[in-house]
Amino acid sequence: MTELKRVLGFKVILLITINSIMGTGIYFLPALGASIAGPASILSWILVSIVAMLTAMCFAELVSMFPKAGGVYEFAKQAFGKFTSFLVGWTAWLIGNITTAMLIVGAIQYLIPYADKIILVSISIVFVLIFNFMAFRGMKTSAVTLITFAIINLILLLSLIISGFFNFQPGNFSPFFVFPFSAVFLTVFFISETFFGWETTTFLAEETKDAERVIPKVLVIATGIIAVISSLLVISSLGVIPWKIFGGSTAPLADLANSMFGGTGMYIVTLGTYLVI
């Protein structure tokens, strides 16, 4: 049986994990959270971050026990047997491809807000095939691509966060509670997708150097980084754009860039968001 080559180190797997977990949620859900809970949606992001850290620790423990390429498939096999693990593995593969299609639709919504549905479906199918082919070619090809977009992703978000605090308007947070406090918990349900994706990293266990130690550490650190970035982005966004306007946006980060940098900045962020997603 051919063994997978352990070519991924700590820094590489950390960037891949950040990119895998963050997904599209960070580009759309801050606006959705604001529309549900207003400025108090910040509390929802903090609650989600706490739950995400606990979940990351669970995945970290599992992958340290079973550092194999199957990830969630392997965990299910150890707990419930081969048939259940087959269903879990098949479902994970199916969800992965559906998620890819959703990512492309989300990206096109940033680039072409009113694109025809046929165009969305056609482009999504093409990208699903391309990404499956890249995965077939091997981890080196996939890793280079993922690292490149992870760096673009972090630069894009950090530039918006830092610029946002320079344009911060404290009055946007008054009043803080514009909806009943229960809206904070309702928002948690809708924004939790931002932190989905730990299982993606577990699939790389047999291609990671010293996976038993590296991947658990990466899962916790990456989740912490995403939690901080997400919370700071929400705070800076609501500090720049009033929650009513921000909550109604279909491309919130593009609108945020427009308010801070003008049309040129919005175009750059829109293009960068499209590429990253």
Side-chain angles (χ1 to χ4, degrees), residues 252-264:
L253 297 198
D255 291 340
L256 181 63
N258 184 43
S259 66
M260 294 188 296
F261 309 125
T264 302

Side-chain angles (χ1 to χ4, degrees), residues 191-260:
I191 66 175
S192 58
E193 189 270 336
T194 303
F195 287 92
F196 291 173
W198 298 281
E199 72 285 348
T200 304
T201 303
T202 66
F203 294 144
L204 306 177
E206 286 191 41
E207 294 167 277
T208 302
K209 302 171 186 176
D210 196 11
E212 295 92 333
R213 294 180 57 194
V214 170
I215 291 186
K217 186 187 298 183
V218 161
L219 286 169
V220 175
I221 293 175
T223 303
I225 291 173
I226 295 169
V228 171
I229 290 176
S230 300
S231 299
L232 290 178
L233 180 64
V234 172
I235 294 171
S236 63
S237 299
L238 294 176
V240 173
I241 304 176
W243 72 269
K244 286 184 179 180
I245 299 174
F246 188 69
S249 175
T250 56
L253 297 198
D255 291 340
L256 181 63
N258 184 43
S259 66
M260 294 188 296

Side-chain angles (χ1 to χ4, degrees), residues 156-183:
L156 188 67
L157 293 173
L158 290 175
S159 65
L160 289 173
I161 290 170
I162 294 171
S163 300
F165 280 107
F166 278 106
N167 294 271
F168 200 80
Q169 300 293 328
N172 289 352
F173 294 91
S174 182
F176 189 72
F177 292 102
V178 294
F179 295 104
F181 188 75
S182 58

Side-chain angles (χ1 to χ4, degrees), residues 20-44:
S20 299
I21 294 176
M22 199 171 288
T24 57
I26 195 65
Y27 290 95
F28 295 97
L29 298 181
L32 178 61
S35 69
I36 298 172
S41 61
I42 295 170
L43 300 178
S44 304

Side-chain angles (χ1 to χ4, degrees), residues 108-130:
I108 296 173
Q109 186 173 339
Y110 257 89
L111 195 64
I112 314 172
Y114 304 104
D116 185 79
K117 289 183 179 179
I118 295 178
I119 295 176
L120 292 176
V121 172
S122 300
I123 296 178
S124 297
I125 291 173
V126 171
F127 272 94
V128 166
L129 295 175
I130 290 174

